[in-house]
Structure formats: C-alpha cells, structure tokens
C-alpha cells in the first residue's frame, strides 16, 4: 500500500485555494499508487480548516495544532511525523513561497527525491512528471528514480475538489520544535496612491522597454487611451515603477476589460496575475514569447515602432 | 563573519531555438550568471562594504566554461571562488540532493556564517537547493527574501519574505543561516574596470568531487529528463500582421470597439 500525504496551506486565517487543488492531485496520485489520501492541516484554527477542506476524495485529515501561522520548522517536523504515522510514500505540497520554504527540508529529512513546480504526473511502476524549463520556453517529462518522493505542485493546474467529504479528522500531537526563524509580523506592500486592480484599461510594461527613460513611450499610450500604467516584475525590480504597479503572483491580480502587455514575455508568475482580463493585447519582439499563448490580439514587433504609431491613432 | 554565495551559470535559449534529443541545441543557448544569484552576490558584497562581512566566497558547480561568469562575480567584489568540477554531471539535470551533497562539503570546509543564493535557477527552476542545504547542514533558513538586514552582534538576520499577493512576512533568522534571495532585493552593480582588473588576480580554487570526499556514485541524479517539447501555442487569438503602421491601424480599431480611448 502506498499512501499519499498532501499538506494544506493557509495564511492569516484563510485556507488557500491551492489546498483544494492538491486534494484533486493527491487523489489522482493515491489512485495510481493504490493507496489512501491523507491531508495534513498544520497550525492556526485547524478544526475550521479541516472542516473547510473536507471534500470528497480524502480518506483522512490529520490536524497538528502547533502555532498560529506558517513556521517551516513546524511544517517539516509535522510532515515527517505524519509520514511515519501513515507510511505515506509521497508527500505533495503547494509550489508556493511557503511550500518551497519547507518541502526541500521534508525531502531531506525523509531522504527522498524532490521534484518542484510539477504540472502533471503519471505513475506506472515509476513516477513521471511534467515540468517546465528555461523560463517556460520548453516542457519536459522526467522519470523519478525511487518508490518514495516529494512533489511541489503548481497552482492552477488541477481543478479544486468540490462538495462535502466524509474524511475522519484526527488530531496529532507534536512537540513544538526549536526553530531558528521567527515570524514577527506581516506587511502589505501593494496599495498606495493607485490601485491597478480597479482600472478598466491597463497598459502594462515589461523588461522589453529596456530602461527607465523609455517609459515615456508607454506613458504616452496610457494617456492616449485614458488607461492606467502597470508593469511586470523586472520593471519594478529595477525601480522604474513602484511595487503597487506590479501585476502578478507576488504583486496584484488584475482582470481589467483590456490589458495591453508591452514588452512582457509572459512568465507564469505574471500570467497568473492577469489571465482573467477580458481582452488581452500583446506587443513583443519574440514570436515565441508565452504571452502570445494567452493574447487575444498579438503583434510581433518592436514596441518603439508600434506604440508611437498606435498613440498617433488616438490623437 | 564569512559569507558564502552560491552561484550558477545558466543557459538561456535564443528567441529561435531547436530541441535536440532531450535538451535545447547547444548552439542555441547563451550562458550567463543566473539573474537571482546576481542579487545574492550584490547582497554579499554590500555586507562586506558595510564592514559586516570579512570575507565573501563564491561557490559554483560547473565545467571550465563557467570561469568567465565567475570572473564577473569576482569583479563585482567577491574575494575568491571555489569551482567544483562536475564531469559526472555534464549533460544531465542535476537533482537537488546531488547539488546539496557538493555544497554540504564546501560549507563544512568554509564554515560560513551566512550562505546566500538565488531563489531559483533560471534554466531548471527548481527553487529548492538553498532550503535543502540548510536542512542538511543544520543552519536556519528563509526562502524568497526581498529585504535583508544583518545584525552580526546579535547573530540575527532580519528579513522580509515575499509571499504571494503583495504580502511580505517579517522574520528573524538565527545565524548561521541560508537565505534564498529574490530579485529586487537590491540593485546589482556592474563590475568596474578596476574590479575587472582585480578579478584577474583573485583565486578560483578548482576542486574535484574526490577532493570533497565524494564520488560520482554519491551524486547520482534521481531525475532523468526523458522528453523535451516546445509547448504548443494554445492561443486562438489573432496575430496582427503587417508593418507598425498597419498593425497600429488594426489594433486601434480593436481597442475602439471595446470603448477604449473613446472620450
């Protein structure tokens, strides 16, 4: 029997959606392995999270009531403890910032291979995973050597589990481990003078703009279209626009009527923050840029030629 | 205190590339310093400039080709470098545990107070080596750090971890520690001419696996790439053709149809 342990994720009192997605992924893997699906709920109001998580597909929910918020030492120790307790062959965690803060430690403790950012998997005597490489430019399949393994699964790849489940909920005792890292608080960094999530039209600028001085080309378009300026990560990292303008996983999630992506390649973290836009327009020199996969209208061209032409159409 | 920076030379595909077997054709790849590691190097050099770090050592795993990238890191102010030769690794995706085997041996030798590395490598994108290393060598850790202040006297690194959705977690991490560094932590410098000259005289210590007490068998990969494909475009969107003027005409029509710029 080869069981699967999924570790749920929550933050500041809210269960995160990926937890339900991992129930679906974990159920598939457990079926392939011929085992049961265990879900771990660690820290915070575990009873409430367990109730919310209890959807069809789960065989058993284990709650570990140690601490309020995420602590990677607690998560790693709890996952290790639950693997001992259940005999699970596979540990599945979110490929989130917090998932990547403890999953590698779990794999180390268990001495099993770790594969991160998994999009898909199949199990047929051996595990085969699908993941991307070279910044989403290619997809690879890889064979994993071993009967036991640890996977982090990307959000948005599996449909969330739905409905009411009947899994038994079992509290598990864990002595709080000594941790070398202590959370002292949280800070909101979005917001500020403008909320890009409120805009109907966003003109969004990426690395392709080259340097801060060139932003005026894009600002002219935003003026002409009566749109709000937003940006992808590299523009904010370079300090060309403030953090509250950043669209994406670590910035703001937006869904305007029209999203004009200029010089943005479309990294997965960016796309996660804007794919809900009604109409997506992309202008980029690289015909293979992933942004074109989700664009409703795509122009392969130099933004410094196309954008001024477009501005002139609205003057 | 001593800072160890883990750096990787990564391959970036050209805009047009071909897949040969299970990897991109070598002729379609350009090599350079991993973007995330550039921020880790900058953070380490700033600690030295602030008088907090006495020595900054870079460690990398790779063939002779990577020395060009390592010289650039030395030119930015890193004091010296260790390059672990990886004939056993050539042509394969090196799994996390194997990289940690190597880095553990280097950490044992160098005994750093702080290890800095990028959140992930741009090519393989595992994002796991730093945390796995911390667990192995029993250091504290924090992943995805975008703000860093080191209080060497108290033996604590005050960091911000960049969570999803514009939220940062404020965390105190005991030293010795491994921190994985997110882009945007600082503004990585360009090497000065003086730095480039000085880098020519800095030491790159080349080590074999055997020097570190390891053998190729110890670092066998648990992951074998069996196929590589270019994702098929899922877009049923319209590709607007023509020169800039014609494309602008069509796009202006599309935007006006959606009420944009109609005022």
């Amino acid at each position: 029997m080869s069981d699967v342990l999924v570790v749920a994720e929550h933050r500041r009192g809210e269960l995160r959606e990926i937890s339900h997605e991992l129930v679906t992924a974990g159920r598939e893997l457990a079926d392939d392995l011929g085992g049961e699906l265990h879900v771990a709920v660690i820290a915070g109001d575990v009873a409430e999270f367990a109730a919310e998580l209890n959807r069809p597909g789960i065989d058993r929910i284990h709650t570990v009531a140690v601490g309020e918020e995420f602590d990677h030492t607690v998560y790693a120790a709890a996952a290790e403890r639950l693997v001992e307790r259940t005999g699970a062959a596979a540990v599945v965690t979110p490929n989130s910032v917090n998932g990547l803060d403890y999953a590698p430690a779990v794999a180390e403790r268990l001495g099993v291979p770790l594969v991160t950012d998994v999009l898909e998997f199949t199990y047929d005597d051996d595990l085969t995973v699908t993941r991307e490489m070279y910044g989403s430019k290619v997809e690879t399949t890889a064979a994993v050597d071993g009967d036991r393994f640890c996977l982090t699964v990307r959000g948005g790849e599996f449909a969330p589990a739905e409905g009411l489940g009947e899994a038994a909920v079992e509290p598990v005792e864990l002595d709080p481990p000594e941790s070398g890292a202590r959370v002292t608080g949280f800070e909101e960094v979005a917001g500020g003078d403008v909320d890009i999530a409120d805009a109907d039209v966003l003109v969004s600028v990426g690395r392709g703009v080259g340097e801060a001085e060139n932003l005026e080309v894009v600002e002219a378009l935003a003026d002409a279209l009566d749109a709000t300026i937003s940006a992808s990560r590299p523009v904010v990292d370079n300090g060309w626009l403030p953090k509250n303008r950043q669209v994406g996983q670590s910035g703001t999630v937006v869904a305007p009527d029209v999203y004009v992506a200029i010089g943005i390649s479309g990294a997965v973290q960016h796309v996660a923050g804007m794919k809900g836009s009604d109409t997506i327009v992309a202008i980029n020199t690289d015909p293979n840029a992933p942004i074109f996969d989700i664009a409703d209208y795509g122009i392969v061209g130099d933004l410094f030629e196309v954008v001024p032409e477009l501005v002139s159409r609205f003057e | 205190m001593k800072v160890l920076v883990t750096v990787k030379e990564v391959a970036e595909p050209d805009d047009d590339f071909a897949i040969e077997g299970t990897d991109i054709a070598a002729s379609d790849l350009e090599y350079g310093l991993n973007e995330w590691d550039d921020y880790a190097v900058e953070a380490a050099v700033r600690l030295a400039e602030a008088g907090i770090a006495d020595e900054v050592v870079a460690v990398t795993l790779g063939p002779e080709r990577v020395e060009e990238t390592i010289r650039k890191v030395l030119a930015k102010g890193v004091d010296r470098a260790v390059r672990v030769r990886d004939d056993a690794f050539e042509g394969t995706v090196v799994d996390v545990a194997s990289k940690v085997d190597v880095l553990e041996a280097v950490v044992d030798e160098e005994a750093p107070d702080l290890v800095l590395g990028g959140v992930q490598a741009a090519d393989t994108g595992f994002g796991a080596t730093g945390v796995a290393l911390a667990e192995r060598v029993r250091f504290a850790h924090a992943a995805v750090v975008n703000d860093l202040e080191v209080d060497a006297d108290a033996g604590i690194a005050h960091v911000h971890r960049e969570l999803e959705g514009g939220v940062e977690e404020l965390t105190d991490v005991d030293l010795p520690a491994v921190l994985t560094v997110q882009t945007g932590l600082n503004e990585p410098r360009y090497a000065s001419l003086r730095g480039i000259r000085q880098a020519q005289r800095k030491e790159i210590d080349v080590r074999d696996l055997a020097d570190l007490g390891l053998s190729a068998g110890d670092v066998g990969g648990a992951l074998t790439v069996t196929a590589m494909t270019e994702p098929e475009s899922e877009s049923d969107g319209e590709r607007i053709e023509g020169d800039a003027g014609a494309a602008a005409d069509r796009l202006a029509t599309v935007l006006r149809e959606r009420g944009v710029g109609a005022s």
Side-chain angles (χ1 to χ4, degrees):
Chain A
M1 188 176 71
S2 295
D3 289 2
V4 174
L5 176 71
V6 157
V7 184
E9 177 158 319
H10 60 86
R11 202 170 79 198
R12 304 168 88 191
E14 304 270 351
L15 195 65
R16 293 174 65 78
E17 181 69 7
I18 191 163
S19 306
H20 300 301
E21 298 170 13
L22 291 194
V23 169
T24 304
R27 183 69 257 167
E28 280 182 25
L29 186 57
D31 287 344
D32 288 347
L33 293 169
E36 298 200 320
L37 174 61
H38 303 266
V39 175
V41 181
I42 305 164
D45 189 345
V46 292
E48 190 189 308
F49 292 138
E52 191 182 341
L53 259 174
N54 207 336
R55 297 185 180 180
I58 307 175
D59 294 298
R60 212 169 291 273
I61 297 177
H62 307 264
T63 59
V64 182
V66 175
E68 280 307 306
E69 287 290 344
F70 174 77
D71 175 325
H72 57 238
T73 313
V74 171
Y75 269 61
E80 184 184 22
R81 175 82 207 282
L82 289 171
V83 166
E84 280 166 14
R85 189 179 149 101
T86 61
V91 179
V92 180
T93 83
N95 192 69
S96 58
V97 171
N98 282 345
L100 289 171
D101 198 39
Y102 72 93
V106 173
E108 265 297 317
R109 282 168 183 234
L110 300 174
V112 302
L114 169 72
V115 190
T116 59
D117 205 12
V118 171
L119 309 179
E120 277 179 68
F121 51 76
T122 56
Y123 188 88
D124 184 13
D125 290 331
D126 280 308
L127 181 74
T128 302
V129 296
T130 302
R131 60 192 307 282
E132 293 175 342
M133 269 181 66
Y134 297 114
S136 302
K137 286 192 173 170
V138 299
E139 232 171 60
T140 62
T141 54
V144 181
D145 185 21
D147 301 330
R148 302 167 71 224
F149 38 82
C150 185
L151 307 179
T152 75
V153 171
R154 183 185 291 182
E157 295 295 319
F158 290 83
E162 303 276 1
L164 273 180
E166 292 169 351
V169 179
E170 292 181 5
V172 177
E173 296 293 321
L174 181 77
D175 291 330
E178 285 278 315
S179 186
R182 293 164 301 281
V183 178
T184 60
F186 292 93
E187 230 174 69
E188 308 269 353
V189 288
D193 58 329
V194 65
D195 189 351
I196 55 173
D198 286 342
D200 296 326
V201 183
L202 283 173
V203 168
S204 207
V205 57
R207 200 193 289 265
V209 77
E211 49 188 294
E213 289 68 33
N214 296 340
L215 275 180
E216 54 190 44
V217 175
V218 181
E219 282 162 350
L221 180 63
D223 284 347
L225 301 182
D226 197 19
T228 303
I229 288 258
S230 59
S232 66
R233 168 157 213 130
V235 171
V236 174
D237 279 350
N238 283 325
W240 301 340
L241 283 172
K243 181 94 185 171
N244 62 4
R245 301 280 179 164
Q246 185 178 327
V247 172
Q249 219 160 50
S250 55
T252 302
V253 175
V254 300
D257 298 337
V258 177
Y259 188 89
V260 185
I262 299 173
I264 291 175
S265 65
V268 56
Q269 293 84 354
H270 182 78
V271 169
M274 46 65 78
K275 64 184 175 198
S277 308
D278 285 346
T279 299
I280 297 170
V281 176
I283 302 170
N284 202 300
T285 50
D286 176 4
N288 295 316
I291 192 76
F292 288 121
D293 290 344
I294 57 154
D296 301 292
Y297 298 91
I299 296 176
V300 177
D302 183 345
L303 74 91
F304 299 108
E305 292 173 13
V306 177
V307 172
E309 286 282 348
L310 188 58
V311 170
S312 73
R313 302 300 187 274
F314 287 89
E315 278 169 346
Chain B
M1 63 183 269
K2 187 192 226 179
V3 180
L4 183 69
V5 195
T6 61
V7 296
K8 184 182 180 189
E9 184 184 81
V10 294
E12 187 183 345
D14 298 334
D15 281 354
D16 288 311
F17 60 84
I19 293 171
E20 284 177 3
T22 59
D23 207 344
I24 291 177
S27 56
D28 295 338
L29 293 172
E30 305 279 341
Y31 295 94
L33 176 62
N34 180 40
E35 185 182 358
W36 283 265
D37 297 345
D38 202 8
Y39 289 85
V41 167
E42 179 66 31
V45 170
R46 287 188 190 192
L47 287 172
E49 288 169 345
I52 296 168
D54 311 310
E55 190 180 25
V56 177
V57 182
V59 56
T60 195
L61 177 64
E64 199 171 351
R65 184 197 66 229
V66 309
E67 293 212 354
E68 197 181 324
T69 293
I70 296 306
R71 287 285 169 211
K72 287 180 187 157
V73 166
L74 293 170
K76 287 167 184 259
V78 169
D79 296 306
R80 62 184 171 85
V82 177
R83 174 172 73 87
V84 180
R85 288 168 46 159
D86 70 331
D87 293 348
F89 296 142
E90 268 304 273
T92 61
V93 170
V94 183
D95 73 338
V96 175
S98 299
K99 274 182 266 191
V100 170
D101 289 338
V102 172
L103 292 174
E104 177 190 20
V106 174
V107 167
D108 285 349
E109 281 192 1
E110 297 286 344
D113 302 283
L114 180 62
V115 180
L116 298 175
V119 163
Q120 63 178 352
D123 49 6
T124 47
F126 284 117
T129 304
V131 173
L133 174 65
E135 180 68 27
R136 180 80 66 85
V137 301
R138 307 262 159 201
F139 281 19
H141 76 262
V144 194
V145 166
N146 71 347
D147 192 76
L148 168 65
E149 191 191 317
V150 175
D151 184 342
D153 294 336
I156 292 175
H158 303 284
V159 307
H160 289 202
R161 294 181 57 234
E162 184 191 70
L163 306 181
E164 295 86 356
V167 176
E168 293 180 2
E169 179 200 276
L170 282 56
T171 301
D172 288 346
V173 187
D174 294 335
L175 301 180
V178 181
L179 306 177
T180 74
V181 166
Q182 177 63 299
T183 60
L185 171 70
N186 47 43
E187 284 176 46
R189 72 193 63 196
Y190 293 98
S192 64
L193 282 174
R194 184 160 163 268
I196 292 167
R197 275 200 306 275
Q198 287 174 338
Q200 297 309 317
R201 295 192 299 274
K202 289 180 178 174
E203 178 195 0
I204 301 179
D205 183 14
V206 181
R207 313 295 298 273
D208 284 319
L209 291 180
D211 298 335
L212 298 170
L214 297 167
S215 69
D218 293 332
V219 291
L223 202 64
T224 311
V225 175
T226 52
M228 179 177 286
T229 53
E230 222 174 319
E232 286 192 16
S233 171
E234 291 162 15
S235 174
D236 48 3
E238 174 184 334
R239 194 58 75 94
I240 298 176
E241 306 288 349
D243 64 13
D249 284 340
R250 172 72 186 128
L251 193 49
T253 306
V254 166
L255 292 172
R256 284 217 169 80
E257 282 169 3
R258 282 158 184 75
V260 177
S263 60

